[in-house]
Amino acid sequence: MRIFISADMEGCTGVVCRAQVLRDSAEYRGALRLLHSDVNAAVEGAFRAGAAEVVVNDAHDSMMNLSPAELDPRASLISGAGKPLSMVEGIEGAAAALFVGYHARAGAPGAVLEHTYSSRCLYRLEINGREVGETAMNAGLAGHFGVPVALLTGDAALMREATADVPWAVTVAVKEGLGPGAADCLGMAAAAAAIREGTARALAGVRSWTAKEREARLVVFAPPVTFALELVTAGMAALAERCPGARRTAARRRKAGRPNRDPRRSRCGG
């Protein structure tokens, strides 16, 4: 059983403010320890549950945060930006996907470090008329390749979001937002234990699914697929309008038509 892990950072336990997720900040190194702890717990849980292979894709910002020296040596690591499938590069051929350290979509109430893909340019994303965050967006890419999302870890607001996006997934809340830049967090060891247990439970479920049940757990956006992006500035929308298939619908909004069948070849992504 090949298991794929997409690892973000904002949803890790103890990560509560923007300074912690920026590479040039004093707080970043401490947050890295928390990131490795959460990811390694998922890796360990996957192997305990019978995984033969675990692939981890570094999915935060520069996508060069996880270190092979600190990662469980049994897992392989996909690192670096510019990957064709971005946060889910390496998804193909996996039995299940685990989204670790994920966060709620931009504007979600009570969320910790909420945003959608890039807080610098994108405020709102809709797919087929429904507002989504990174969880649904990446679950849709995983579904395109026949891979269900089995586990989601992050804050309590993300768990609420998951009830609409991936209701079958095992969820592990490692913190609960208390206000901008504050959260009630599990300790590192407690979060790791919860993630290990959640991973084992998630993969036990994956093993028990029939082919029909597995297919029902794929996130698939019905064609023709449309993306509507609300950007931070009107200038960004003007630039985005140059993408083939895109049209401007408002000052800061553009809409993209159906992408190419293979997401790797799409020129108009989120």
Side-chain angles (χ1 to χ4, degrees):
M1 182 167 61
R2 181 177 186 268
I3 300 302
F4 171 80
I5 298 175
S6 176
D8 207 346
M9 194 172 192
E10 287 89 352
C12 292
T13 191
V15 177
V16 298
C17 69
R18 183 167 171 76
Q20 289 175 285
V21 300
L22 299 176
R23 290 178 64 89
D24 58 354
S25 75
E27 293 84 358
Y28 173 74
R29 183 160 298 280
L32 277 183
R33 187 181 175 210
L34 301 169
L35 169 65
H36 283 92
S37 178
D38 282 11
V39 173
N40 281 334
V43 172
E44 183 178 354
F47 279 113
R48 285 186 182 182
E53 178 186 2
V54 176
V55 178
V56 178
N57 179 27
D58 191 328
H60 174 66
D61 196 39
S62 67
M63 302 188 178
M64 294 185 294
N65 307 280
L66 291 166
S67 166
E70 302 297 329
L71 189 66
D72 188 312
R74 295 171 292 178
S76 61
L77 174 64
I78 300 174
S79 182
K83 296 170 286 196
L85 292 181
S86 189
M87 297 179 74
V88 292
E89 182 64 37
I91 192 77
E92 297 166 77
L98 316 178
F99 290 175
V100 175
Y102 268 49
H103 51 81
R105 68 175 183 256
V112 181
L113 292 170
E114 44 73 32
H115 65 280
T116 299
Y117 202 69
S118 172
S119 58
R120 289 184 287 269
C121 63
L122 181 62
Y123 178 72
R124 180 184 176 96
L125 170 65
E126 294 177 7
I127 301 180
N128 286 1
R130 180 168 75 89
E131 183 179 6
V132 299
E134 291 171 28
T135 297
M137 178 184 74
N138 289 329
L141 273 171
H144 175 85
F145 292 102
V147 181
V149 177
L151 176 81
L152 190 65
T153 82
D155 73 345
L158 177 64
M159 304 306 112
R160 295 190 289 271
E161 191 173 307
T163 60
D165 295 336
V166 285
W168 53 83
V170 171
T171 57
V172 178
V174 298
K175 58 189 172 186
E176 182 165 6
L178 299 175
D184 183 357
C185 306
L186 292 181
M188 189 168 71
I195 292 170
R196 280 193 299 269
E197 188 277 331
T199 300
R201 189 154 38 96
L203 297 187
V206 170
R207 287 183 178 278
S208 71
W209 294 340
T210 65
K212 186 174 182 180
E213 288 172 333
R214 178 184 175 84
E215 185 174 358
R217 287 162 172 78
L218 300 178
V219 175
V220 178
F221 293 103
V225 180
T226 59
F227 298 82
L229 287 73
E230 185 172 344
L231 301 161
V232 173
T233 69
M236 291 176 180
L239 290 173
E241 190 179 15
R242 299 178 184 178
C243 289
R247 62 185 176 86
R248 187 87 164 268
T249 60
R252 297 186 301 162
R253 189 177 176 93
R254 64 101 168 172
K255 190 172 184 179
R258 182 177 181 176
N260 296 328
R261 188 171 184 83
D262 183 353
R264 290 180 177 274
R265 297 180 180 275
S266 175
R267 298 178 64 187
C268 290

